[in-house]
Amino acid sequence: MDQAERLRIIKASQHSRPLARVITVTSGKGGVGKSNTAINLAIQFRKMEKRVIILDADFGLANIEIMFGAVPKHNLCDLIYQGKNIREIITWGPMEVGFISGGSGIAGMSNLSRDYLSYIIQNLVQLDTIADIIIVDTGAGISDAVLEFLVASGEILLVTTPEPTSITDSYSLLKALYRHPRFTQETTKVKMIANRVEKEEEGEVLFSKLNAVVTRYLKVPMTYLGCVPEDAHLSRAVMQQVPVSLQNPGARSTAAYERIARRLLGREEEERQPKRGMAAFFSHIVTGKK
């Protein structure tokens, strides 16, 4: 099946249906709190009465399900190869946050037949009716798989810490993204979150330094969403496999996640953030390879 035919399948699924807001969370290196950010933002969105599903696209690790404290019975491979429908592969976690394990399923989507692709897309677009917001948690670092997800996303949250290696790896990730042949500044916005900072000023300085280099050499400025402080309550919650936003609503980190979530929802109205929905998101992945 050629690229044009795949696009026709996807476009046919987009008529007269709601579109979810797809937010992709990423980082230049592992261990900076990317998955923790994804799940706590999901909890905060649920507190604001938004329906949320997390797609775990980190094929090598299972951070989201560990933090959920639940092992999913099915993943995206079961949708593709075992005939499961989209609702059967969703695991429901705390506060009814939905979770889909990507497994290695997405990586093989570009090689599927017309019938398979049609079936999968018809299922995936149902997520637009199940969720208001879909959070895609990518793998860490720079890989072809991570870049495919970032290029497909209209909204990217880059999690960075003050560690020098995190800053340099974040820049390297952005450089690879901005030089990707399918990246367009008009359709993809990068928003940075400073994680594990001692105080708010440290987060602002971190953003200013990274954004200055990105703006100078890559010519595409970022947006700053805010910071999450170093917090013993957060570390304890991670060890106990419970999102800090649930375990300790009064923690500093919980308040930070709430502020960031509110800014994201506020900017959706302010910027009139376009919603791509899952069909458009996956169209980049299954048709965009050169």
Side-chain angles (χ1 to χ4, degrees):
M1 176 171 44
D2 61 18
Q3 185 180 38
E5 192 172 4
R6 286 173 177 162
L7 282 171
R8 284 194 291 272
I9 292 173
I10 292 164
K11 288 180 179 178
S13 69
Q14 291 181 305
H15 296 300
S16 302
R17 62 177 180 81
L19 296 176
R21 181 177 179 181
V22 181
I23 300 174
T24 302
V25 183
T26 194
S27 63
K29 66 185 293 288
V32 301
K34 170 183 58 64
S35 297
N36 209 32
T37 298
I39 197 169
N40 277 285
L41 288 179
I43 294 295
Q44 293 299 332
F45 286 139
R46 282 295 299 132
K47 290 182 178 181
M48 299 170 197
E49 300 184 347
K50 297 293 184 181
R51 300 171 300 164
V52 185
I53 288 177
I54 300 174
L55 172 61
D56 188 352
D58 188 345
F59 303 146
L61 301 172
N63 290 335
I64 298 294
E65 63 188 67
I66 290 172
M67 294 169 67
F68 260 18
V71 178
K73 293 181 179 179
H74 303 289
N75 60 32
L76 196 59
C77 287
D78 295 311
L79 174 72
I80 298 173
Y81 302 111
Q82 302 298 325
K84 299 293 182 182
N85 64 54
I86 195 68
R87 292 182 183 273
E88 289 179 298
I89 69 169
I90 299 175
T91 299
W92 296 100
M95 286 193 68
E96 297 185 344
V97 172
F99 162 62
I100 297 176
S101 174
S104 59
I106 297 170
M109 286 184 66
S110 61
N111 299 317
L112 297 174
S113 68
R114 176 194 173 105
D115 290 340
Y116 262 124
L117 184 60
S118 179
Y119 170 76
I120 293 162
I121 293 297
Q122 288 171 12
N123 270 272
L124 289 172
V125 298
Q126 290 182 37
L127 292 176
D128 291 331
T129 66
I130 299 172
D132 302 306
I133 299 172
I134 298 169
I135 298 176
V136 180
D137 182 38
T138 74
I142 305 171
S143 68
D144 290 341
V146 169
L147 290 175
E148 287 298 327
F149 281 108
L150 298 184
V151 171
S153 181
E155 190 171 7
I156 298 169
L157 306 190
L158 175 65
V159 181
T160 307
T161 71
E163 297 176 10
T165 53
S166 176
I167 299 170
T168 56
D169 288 344
S170 291
Y171 175 76
S172 297
L173 175 64
L174 292 178
K175 182 168 68 173
L177 170 64
Y178 292 172
R179 293 179 178 176
H180 193 285
R182 296 201 317 280
F183 172 80
T184 57
Q185 181 179 353
E186 293 74 22
T187 58
T188 302
K189 306 299 181 185
V190 178
K191 305 172 182 181
M192 198 196 94
I193 296 173
N195 196 29
R196 298 177 185 164
V197 298
E198 294 298 329
K199 51 187 178 180
E200 289 189 17
E201 292 77 10
E202 185 180 11
E204 294 168 356
V205 169
L206 172 59
F207 171 75
S208 295
K209 288 181 177 179
L210 182 57
N211 191 50
V213 177
V214 169
T215 303
R216 179 177 179 181
Y217 294 105
L218 304 180
K219 312 301 181 185
V220 184
M222 298 184 295
T223 299
Y224 184 51
L225 282 178
C227 63
V228 179
E230 190 74 63
D231 185 0
H233 294 295
L234 176 56
S235 301
R236 192 175 304 118
V238 171
M239 293 297 295
Q240 297 176 2
Q241 298 178 220
V242 180
V244 69
S245 294
L246 286 180
Q247 187 183 73
N248 196 323
R252 293 172 61 214
S253 53
T254 299
Y257 287 124
E258 180 182 0
R259 284 194 298 271
I260 292 170
R262 290 193 179 280
R263 284 171 187 163
L264 283 167
L265 292 186
R267 284 182 175 166
E268 178 179 22
E269 300 300 325
E270 178 184 328
E271 301 172 359
R272 295 185 179 180
Q273 182 78 36
K275 295 181 179 179
R276 288 188 173 186
M278 289 307 288
F281 179 83
F282 276 98
S283 72
H284 284 264
I285 297 173
V286 301
T287 67
K289 296 182 184 297
K290 298 295 183 180

